[in-house]
Amino acid sequence: MDSGNTAWLLASAALVCLMIPGIAFFYGGMVGSRRILNMMLMCFGGASLVAVLWVLYGYSAAFGNSLTGAGLLGNPLEFFGLSELLTEDPDSSIPVALFAAFQLMFACVTTALVAGAAAGRMKFGAWMLFAGLWATLVYFPVAHWVFAFSSDDGSVTGGWIANQLGAIDFAGGTAVHMNAGVAALALALVLGRSKGWPHAAGKPHSRPLVLLGAGLLWVGWYGFNAGSALSAGHSAAVVFLNTAVAAAAGLLGWMLMDRLRLGTSSSLGAASGLISALVAITPACGAVSPLGALAIGLLAGLVCSLAIEWKYRLGYDDSLDVVGVHAVGGLLGTLLIGLFATDAAPNGVSGLFYGGGLELLGIQALASAAVLVYSFAVTWAIAKVLAMTIGLRIPEESELQGIDIAAHAESAYLNEEEPVELGARP
């Protein structure tokens, strides 16, 4: 065991966990004041359910030995209950239990991201059932494709994207962001539009909360990306630097596009630009130079600021722009590896601009297409079955009045017209 690597991964896992309240604040600030509690509880509730499933069979399905060697799904019973991880592995430089905890946070974050497409109009119970089914049928298999590497001695067979295809995804552009983004699109299509959308679309009730959430996500993202190096060394340092500069470029890029299109730069645009760039640099952070990271971050801020307008043209109600930021940002970053990758970076491969030809771009495109098609199709099927059985939508009256009272019998903010007695709990 390497104590330095272990300490860094412990810290990184905690940073990724910080992203869960980060998403909750980011999404919570973007919805109306009578929807914030439900939105935040969707994030916390979905993440908590996935954590339980991870112990039972999720880790096994994602990182167990591939069934039949096809690279499609790990053996879901191989590490059932994770009790095998209590024994120290003498061949590993970090505790396997710590790796399982680190990857657990990825599963929790990805599930929470999908919730943004259903803000204010989905039954909480239906969401919880959806979250469990989605993690089981979509996230765990795709994580196996992308994150499970085969062992050098051939005793363990990992996922087909990581091993047979050889696509580059350092920290989850495909498995996390494209996966969650296109799942959000499928869920939004089955769920239907909010009442009065788009003319009566709700506005963010607390932009400071949006900025707070974005700030927490920025900090947590260093654990997300640099922690994926699994060691406290050169690779983590390069990834950390690339993540920092890409995020800054994305914030500026979105603000610039807002200035050119709307004549002003908003706090919501700045936060969205920051997140879109972090999404885009996630797969590429170990493959590009800092200049490449700046280019990817800037392009993400510019492109994603335009992509969020697609929902109005195409007619899907993606409440909190999960599709425009995560699906588009993740796809952009994954494809740009084929252009900006340099063999001087930790991944050690070259893209088109560094003499590598078009082969890498083709590999990245194939991996992206596979994840997008699979995630959309299975998510749509899950949502459709739930809609036809238990139903997805809350009653129209509850939607118009705000879901917090209807679903949770509480409100986020004290009504000033209803004074609270001294000693009473508001």
Side-chain angles (χ1 to χ4, degrees), residues 264-349:
T264 186
S265 298
S266 68
S267 59
L268 185 61
S272 299
L274 176 72
I275 301 305
S276 66
L278 288 167
V279 168
I281 198 60
T282 292
C285 55
V288 301
S289 68
L291 284 177
L294 283 174
I296 290 173
L298 180 62
L299 287 170
L302 296 173
V303 172
C304 291
S305 67
L306 299 175
I308 63 170
E309 301 297 327
W310 296 350
K311 64 182 181 181
Y312 300 112
R313 297 183 181 182
L314 300 178
Y316 62 89
D317 182 8
D318 172 24
S319 305
L320 304 183
D321 300 321
V322 188
V323 179
V325 172
H326 292 274
V328 174
L331 177 62
L332 184 68
T334 301
L335 294 180
L336 288 178
I337 293 172
L339 303 180
F340 290 108
T342 170
D343 59 6
N347 280 127
V349 295

Side-chain angles (χ1 to χ4, degrees), residues 85-395:
L85 305 189
L86 298 178
T87 303
E88 185 174 336
D89 183 354
D91 297 324
S92 177
S93 66
I94 59 172
V96 181
L98 176 55
F99 175 77
F102 179 64
Q103 286 294 334
L104 159 65
M105 300 306 170
F106 278 58
C108 294
V109 165
T110 308
T111 305
L113 289 174
V114 182
R121 63 192 191 279
M122 187 173 184
K123 296 177 182 177
F124 186 71
W127 160 252
M128 292 296 290
L129 184 55
F130 170 87
L133 291 172
W134 187 82
T136 299
L137 300 177
V138 181
Y139 181 78
F140 298 158
V142 173
H144 183 74
W145 299 358
V146 176
F147 293 144
F149 289 92
S150 300
S151 61
D152 293 335
D153 60 6
S155 60
V156 176
T157 303
W160 72 275
I161 287 180
N163 298 283
Q164 287 95 327
L165 184 60
I168 295 175
D169 187 352
F170 196 88
T174 53
V176 175
H177 298 293
M178 270 190 276
N179 196 3
V182 76
L185 174 60
L187 178 59
L189 290 175
V190 176
L191 192 58
R193 305 174 184 177
S194 300
K195 298 298 178 183
W197 186 90
H199 304 293
K203 296 182 179 180
H205 86 283
S206 178
R207 286 171 173 80
L209 281 184
V210 175
L211 289 172
L212 172 62
L216 291 175
L217 287 169
W218 194 353
V219 174
W221 228 291
Y222 293 121
F224 200 87
N225 285 0
S228 294
L230 302 182
S231 63
H234 175 73
S235 293
V238 172
V239 167
F240 197 108
L241 175 61
N242 283 344
T243 301
V245 299
L251 184 149
L252 296 175
W254 194 303
M255 292 181 70
L256 174 62
M257 182 60 73
D258 276 355
R259 185 72 178 180
L260 294 175
R261 293 174 60 240
L262 307 174
T264 186
S265 298
S266 68
S267 59
L268 185 61
S272 299
L274 176 72
I275 301 305
S276 66
L278 288 167
V279 168
I281 198 60
T282 292
C285 55
V288 301
S289 68
L291 284 177
L294 283 174
I296 290 173
L298 180 62
L299 287 170
L302 296 173
V303 172
C304 291
S305 67
L306 299 175
I308 63 170
E309 301 297 327
W310 296 350
K311 64 182 181 181
Y312 300 112
R313 297 183 181 182
L314 300 178
Y316 62 89
D317 182 8
D318 172 24
S319 305
L320 304 183
D321 300 321
V322 188
V323 179
V325 172
H326 292 274
V328 174
L331 177 62
L332 184 68
T334 301
L335 294 180
L336 288 178
I337 293 172
L339 303 180
F340 290 108
T342 170
D343 59 6
N347 280 127
V349 295
S350 293
L352 181 63
F353 295 164
Y354 289 83
L358 290 171
E359 181 181 2
L360 180 59
L361 180 59
I363 291 173
Q364 297 300 110
L366 180 57
S368 299
V371 171
L372 289 171
V373 171
Y374 177 82
S375 180
F376 180 87
V378 179
T379 304
W380 187 91
I382 294 170
K384 198 67 175 177
V385 169
L386 292 178
M388 295 171 62
T389 52
I390 65 172
L392 295 180
R393 293 289 291 261
I394 62 173

